[in-house]
């Protein structure tokens, strides 16, 4: 593990890479009482030549600093942390499987360690990074999931912190997910407000491909970054790729609000082409149905399909850049 301690008076201490071990923390540490914790999720990949690569690590570091700053934790120089991660993954290179779809998952974390029961900015903090080899999310190929639209609980709200990767945002999401699971759904879809805007699926961003009612124009839609949506690196990558490769094919690419009612209408009229989640773990996760008000909304896959075309192509394009098949500025060679 990589660890770096911080104190208000001395700033960041020297980073250390040390064997994985327990942390020793005072029970009054503010992380245990008031949720002073934020994290990142990213992966290190090994390419065909054996080089170790990170995917858009600047994006993760930028988000990590935003998350830390919003709970009064210190920030860390983004290029310096990328350099540290780079040394860490090179040192632990033997834990990065070489096969396509495999990688080393990295979990940068920051906690407030100040021992106080007073609610105040932490005077000390610990940044640590742990890692684990991971395999493909869909080892046997895509398996489209069924979602349940949740309208009784809210994941994030305007002016809140749902757009940050704070640990405190995740614990309250487990129960609605468990309830959806008890009814046979793999994930829940978070709707927002009386308009029932589609926001995110579980801990992934959501993409919807629709054909326009009047013009037949094909449109790839995801929710805008209005403060209720986590700024996914995968989301951003999909939007860039769509603008680069799908727009020339005649697609429209939109970051806009979409209601569950209009998605359901598109489905009924046969205009809903596909729906998929997007995040680092799976890259893309195709959706077969969304249960809404107790009725299934069909998301455009035929019976024998487990993925739509856009999700499939996006996965290929992103993996190509993650594993360095295509040399691209998104891929950071360690
Ligand atoms: C991490 C996360 C995502 C996906 O972000 P990526 O950077 O693409 O992995 C989406 N939504 C939520 C709520 C998340 O926590």
């Amino acid at each position: 593990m990589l660890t770096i301690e911080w104190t208000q008076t001395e700033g960041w201490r020297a980073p250390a890479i040390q064997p994985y071990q327990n942390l020793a923390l005072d029970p009054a540490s503010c992380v245990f009482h008031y949720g002073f914790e934020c994290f990142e999720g990213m992966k290190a990949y090994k390419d065909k030549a054996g080089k170790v690569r990170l995917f858009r690590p600047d994006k993760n570091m930028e988000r990590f600093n935003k998350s830390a700053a919003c709970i009064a934790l210190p920030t860390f120089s983004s290029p310096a942390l990328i350099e540290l991660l780079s040394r860490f993954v090179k040192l632990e290179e033997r834990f990065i499987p070489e096969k396509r779809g495999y990688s080393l998952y990295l979990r940068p974390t920051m906690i407030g360690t100040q021992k106080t029961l007073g609610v105040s900015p932490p005077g000390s903090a610990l940044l640590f990074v742990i890692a684990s080899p991971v395999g493909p999310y869909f080892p046997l190929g895509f398996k489209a999931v069924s979602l349940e639209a949740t309208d009784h609980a809210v994941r994030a709200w305007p002016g809140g912190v749902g757009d940050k990767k704070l640990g405190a945002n995740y614990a309250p999401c487990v129960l609605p997910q468990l309830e959806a699971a008890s009814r046979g759904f793999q994930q829940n879809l978070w709707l927002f407000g009386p308009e029932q805007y589609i926001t995110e699926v579980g801990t992934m961003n959501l993409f919807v491909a629709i054909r326009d009612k009047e013009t037949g124009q094909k449109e790839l839609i995801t929710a805008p970054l209005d403060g209720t949506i986590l700024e996914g690196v995968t989301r951003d990558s999909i939007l860039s790729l769509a603008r680069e490769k799908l727009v020339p094919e005649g697609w429209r690419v939109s970051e806009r609000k979409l209601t569950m009612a209009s998605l359901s209408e598109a489905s009924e009229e046969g205009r809903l082409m596909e729906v998929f989640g997007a995040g680092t773990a799976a890259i893309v996760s195709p959706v077969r149905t969304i249960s809404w008000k107790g009725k299934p909304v069909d998301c455009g896959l035929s019976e024998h399909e487990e993925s739509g075309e856009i999700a499939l192509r996006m996965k290929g394009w992103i993996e190509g850049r993650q594993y360095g098949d295509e040399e691209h500025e998104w891929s950071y060679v360690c």
Side-chain angles (χ1 to χ4, degrees), residues 63 155 165 170 200 203-205 230 232-234 278-280:
R63 192 170 68 188
R155 194 197 77 85
K165 260 181 141 63
Y170 297 82
E200 298 199 56
T203 57
M204 281 186 274
N205 295 115
L230 202 286
V233 178
T234 317
T280 296

Side-chain angles (χ1 to χ4, degrees), residues 35 37-41 63 67 105 107 154-157 161-178 187-188 190 200-205 228-232:
E37 194 267 0
C38 63
F39 65 96
E40 269 305 317
R63 192 170 68 188
S67 300
Y105 184 78
R107 173 49 63 89
V154 182
R155 194 197 77 85
W157 45 89
V161 291
D163 58 344
K164 310 292 191 306
K165 260 181 141 63
L166 307 184
N169 285 336
Y170 297 82
C173 293
V174 171
L175 212 53
Q177 213 148 300
L178 212 62
Q187 279 290 351
N188 64 325
W190 297 100
E200 298 199 56
V201 50
T203 57
M204 281 186 274
N205 295 115
T228 66
I229 303 295
L230 202 286
E231 291 180 52

